[in-house]
Structures are given as C-alpha cells and as structure tokens.
Amino acid sequence: MPDAYILGIESSCDETAAAVVRSGEQLVSNVVASQIATHQPYGGVVPELASREHLRAIVPVVNQALAEAKHTYDSIDAIAVTQGPGLAGALLVGISYAKALAFALDKPLIAVNHLEGHIHAVLLDRSQNREPQIGNCELQFPVLALVVSGGHTHLYLATQNRDSWTYENIGHTRDDAAGEAFDKVAKLLGLGYPGGPVIDRLSTHGDSKAVKFASAQIKHPDRRGRKDGRRVSAASGHPRFDFSYSGIKTAILRHVETHNMRNAIEKRRKALSQIAKLKLEDYLANCDGQTLDLVASFQRAIVDDLVEKTLAAAQAYESATLFVTGGVAANQELRQTFEREAAQQGLPVFFPSRPLSTDNAAMIAAAAYPKFLAKHFAPMDFSAEAGMVLK
Ligand code: KG4
Ligand code: ZN
C-alpha cells in the first residue's frame, strides 16, 4: 500500500492546530497555536474569543504545518478536519477552511470525531516519543479507551472490523469532566488557568493523604437500575462505569471556607497575576503547606477514581488492551498509577506522548487514515456537530 499523507486540522476548543501524518502513524509535522493567554484572564475558554483567534491563526498554522512537513497543498493526499464535539463557532472555522482547501485542490475531505482523534493519538509516532508506545507490536482488541480531558470523561470499548473502528460507550461523567474539575479547583485556589498542568506539578510537593474526601463526593448516587450490585445500562443491560466530579469541587470549596483559606487565596491570585511567565518556583513561593496538601489530595482522589473504575470496566468487558488519552492523560501521577495497577492486572496500557495527549491535529489526521482507506469521505455540505457522539 503506498504511503498516504493526510493534512489534519483541529479547531474544536482553544487550540488552532494543523499537522501532516503519514499513513495514520508517523508524525511528519505538528503545529499547535494555543489560545491560553487569550482566555487566561477569564479563567476558562470564552467561545466568541476562541472563534476570533481561530480565524486569525488558521492560515498561518496550516502553512507552517505544510512547510515543516516539506509538503505543499498539492502533495498531500487528503484533508481531515474535526467535525465535533466542541464549540460550534470554533469548529466552523476549521471546517470552512478544510472545505475550501478540499474544493480548490480537488482532494478528499474527511470529517473526524474529536474523541476518536484522542483515541488514535495513542497510535502516533514512536520516533519523537520516548514514552511507551505500541510500536510495531500487534494491537489486541477489544481496546478499552479512557478519554479524559477538559470537556470529556468517557470510557469506550473499541473493536476493529477490517480497518474501521467502532465504539461502544460504557461509561461517562454524569456532571463535570475530570479536566474541568482540575480547572475549577485551580481557579478556586487562585492558581490560574488551565489547572491540570499546575496541579500536576504542585502535587508532588504536598501530602496526598492529608485531606480525605468521602467516597460519596466522587460517587454520584446512581439513578439507573442495578443488577447484582452493579450499575447497568437501562437500554442494554450491560454494566456501566460512570464518573462524577462536581462533588469533589464542592468539598474543596467547603474545605477552603472551614480552614479560613480565602485571604491567602486572594493574595496568591494577585501575586501570580503580576508575573508574566509563571514558573514552578513562583507557584511554590505563593503556596503554603496547607494548599499543597489540599492540591495533592485532590489529585490523588481523582486519579484513584479514574484508575479504579477503568480497571473494573476492563475486567468486566474483558478488554485486551487499555488506552488512556486526552489532556488529563498528560498527568504524571495518573500515568504512573495506571502503569502500576494495569500491570498487576496483566493489562497492557498505552498513552500518547505527553504533547499529543492534549488537543492537536495529528490525532485528527491519524483517526482519518482508516476512513481514507475505506473511502469514507465527507460531503461538501457537512457541518459542525457541537454535541457529536462517538459510535
Ligand atoms: O484534551 P484537551 O487539550 O482539551 C479537551 O478536549 O478538553 O484537555 C485539556 C484539559 C484541561 O482541563 C487541562 O487542565 C487538562 O486537560 N490537563 C491536565 C494536564 N494537562 C492538561 N490535567 C491534569 N494533569 C495534566 N498534566
Ligand atoms: Zn480534546
């Protein structure tokens, strides 16, 4: 089979990204223009600002991805773009540009689900990553994929039929996504946006056993039926493994109030907002032991819950391989805990490299490859699907 070079475009949230990937696995170029600085003052992504920033960045980002790949518009084989889920206005910028390119260049256009992109990020490139990748070993199905990011916490059981992948959702968050909890807790503690990376780095400086969270704070009272004490889907009768992260955020808020942490938080918020490029030392200089312990305990609780439910699901569904992906999969403690616990269960676990865990376009080009082979091309009138589900 000749090599296929796919140009991927991703604009579902706050990163404008473009990449060229060879035959679904080899990263040829990967450009990500982050909007963090634009959204930071608001403590979260502002949809209108995101669309405006995508409009500014899309042309230079795509040009840079092609130039770094030593490709031209003519030499690529197909154009892949994120259809959803995501912010409608943000998605439309990438989709409109991809359609225009495909039309003008007479190249196939492939629409990709962002969540499928996160899953296929695991398959990407070995040469650039020193972290454990699948390499050339045969992938065993069914694959259980935990997609854990700022907008999503989903468990998918993935199977493969010829080249095409199909997915069954066997669990998701009932309220906040895990990354959203990281972001909200960081905001609450005056640590800025996004919360995940800073909590990840600060956690090693605190005692993760210092603050105990009641299990009810991360276990949503189940509203669906139970069978032998296990949650089951009302429709299929299969076990479900749902998550809930809004309770722990409320528990942290209560902890802040009862431990009189408000003044220290406001002082920290002000101090950190005056530093242009924040380093770990700046955060540490502005965090007392009580805050570091709280942050470490919060991270431990989230990690334990994600690992426990995912491994229980892997057992219940007899999955042969585990993928852990999405922005939160960049978390060091999450990776270490999954590696340790999955090994005990004899389950091979794979992650994308840390840069490919968060949003990027290489994952979109990778997920497009099986569709390219199957000639599953998108019609010119397809549109953004903000609430798109993965099947
Ligand atoms: O996948 P992503 O870039 O965007 C979405 O699809 O949502 O994920 C972004 C999320 C944010 O909530 C961010 O705080 C979180 O991933 N994140 C992390 C880490 N790096 C990013 N969470 C925990 N630890 C990290 N190292
Ligand atoms: Zn994402």
Side-chain angles (χ1 to χ4, degrees):
M1 167 116 26
D3 285 336
Y5 290 87
I6 300 182
L7 168 69
I9 296 176
E10 151 68 35
S11 68
S12 67
C13 191
D14 60 344
E15 328 270 8
T16 318
V20 176
V21 171
R22 183 174 69 85
S23 302
E25 284 195 356
Q26 196 206 342
L27 201 71
V28 187
S29 67
N30 184 34
V31 179
V32 181
S34 169
Q35 302 179 3
I36 284 178
T38 306
H39 302 289
Q40 216 149 29
Y42 306 95
V45 178
V46 183
E48 289 78 6
L49 296 184
S51 307
R52 193 186 68 191
E53 292 302 309
H54 284 308
L55 278 171
R56 280 199 184 132
I58 190 90
V59 176
V61 164
V62 170
N63 283 338
Q64 192 184 336
L66 287 171
E68 286 181 11
K70 301 198 170 34
H71 268 269
T72 63
Y73 285 109
D74 283 327
S75 65
I76 49 162
D77 295 295
I79 296 150
V81 66
T82 308
Q83 182 176 11
L87 303 168
L91 288 162
L92 279 171
V93 176
I95 291 173
S96 310
Y97 192 56
K99 277 186 187 174
L101 285 179
F103 181 71
L105 301 167
D106 197 20
K107 304 267 181 194
L109 180 63
I110 301 165
V112 175
N113 185 306
H114 181 83
L115 300 167
E116 186 172 22
H118 275 303
I119 293 170
H120 282 254
V122 179
L123 305 174
L124 269 166
D125 209 48
R126 282 85 65 182
S127 55
Q128 289 206 351
N129 310 320
R130 261 167 268 110
E131 299 181 42
Q133 298 293 302
I134 291 167
N136 293 320
C137 65
E138 188 88 347
L139 188 58
Q140 300 293 319
F141 286 87
V143 170
L144 180 68
L146 171 67
V147 183
V148 61
S149 69
H152 309 278
T153 306
H154 288 293
L155 276 172
Y156 292 103
L157 198 67
T159 44
Q160 195 187 32
N161 185 4
R162 289 171 178 251
D163 282 318
S164 93
W165 292 49
T166 50
Y167 306 89
E168 181 192 352
N169 186 296
I170 59 157
H172 61 81
T173 179
R174 299 288 189 87
D175 39 57
D176 291 353
E180 196 178 349
F182 272 94
D183 294 336
K184 285 178 176 170
V185 166
K187 188 175 179 185
L188 182 68
L189 297 178
L191 293 168
Y193 172 84
V198 56
I199 289 181
D200 188 357
R201 291 192 293 161
L202 289 179
S203 285
T204 53
H205 298 268
D207 175 6
S208 64
K209 295 193 187 78
V211 183
K212 299 260 179 287
F213 298 102
S215 70
Q217 284 160 338
I218 39 178
K219 287 187 175 60
H220 201 274
D222 195 43
R223 292 181 213 103
R224 298 189 192 189
R226 280 168 187 262
K227 195 187 197 178
D228 303 333
R230 229 184 216 174
R231 277 170 289 174
V232 295
S233 150
S236 66
H238 294 153
R240 286 198 60 82
F241 295 87
D242 289 341
F243 305 89
S244 167
Y245 296 117
S246 70
I248 195 166
K249 176 192 65 192
T250 316
I252 301 255
L253 180 63
R254 208 169 307 126
H255 186 96
V256 162
E257 304 296 352
T258 53
H259 290 75
N260 299 319
M261 294 170 74
R262 278 256 171 254
N263 289 345
I265 289 172
E266 279 321 311
K267 227 173 116 196
R268 172 164 55 246
R269 202 188 304 280
K270 246 189 218 137
L272 295 181
S273 70
Q274 276 153 21
I275 304 172
K277 222 170 165 6
L278 285 159
K279 295 201 248 357
L280 178 62
E281 302 83 74
D282 300 319
Y283 288 106
L284 287 173
N286 285 284
C287 285
D288 51 14
Q290 193 185 23
T291 304
L292 293 172
D293 287 351
L294 183 58
V295 158
S297 304
F298 160 76
Q299 179 172 288
R300 180 81 254 167
I302 299 269
V303 165
D304 282 349
D305 186 66
L306 286 167
V307 173
E308 186 197 308
K309 286 197 183 122
T310 303
L311 293 184
Q315 241 167 13
Y317 283 86
E318 295 178 359
S319 58
T321 309
L322 179 60
F323 282 12
V324 181
T325 185
V328 181
N331 188 276
Q332 296 282 23
E333 189 177 359
L334 184 78
R335 284 176 178 241
Q336 286 159 6
T337 313
F338 260 119
E339 267 165 7
R340 194 181 59 237
E341 304 286 320
Q344 279 185 5
Q345 213 165 291
L347 186 66
V349 56
F350 300 101
F351 309 89
S353 67
R354 292 185 82 207
L356 292 177
S357 297
T358 48
D359 288 351
N360 64 85
M363 67 187 201
I364 302 303
Y369 182 63
K371 300 179 203 302
F372 177 80
L373 295 179
K375 296 193 169 24
H376 282 166
F377 301 135
M380 271 299 167
D381 62 353
F382 92 92
S383 193
E385 245 190 78
M388 194 176 186
V389 292
L390 179 59
K391 288 186 279 223

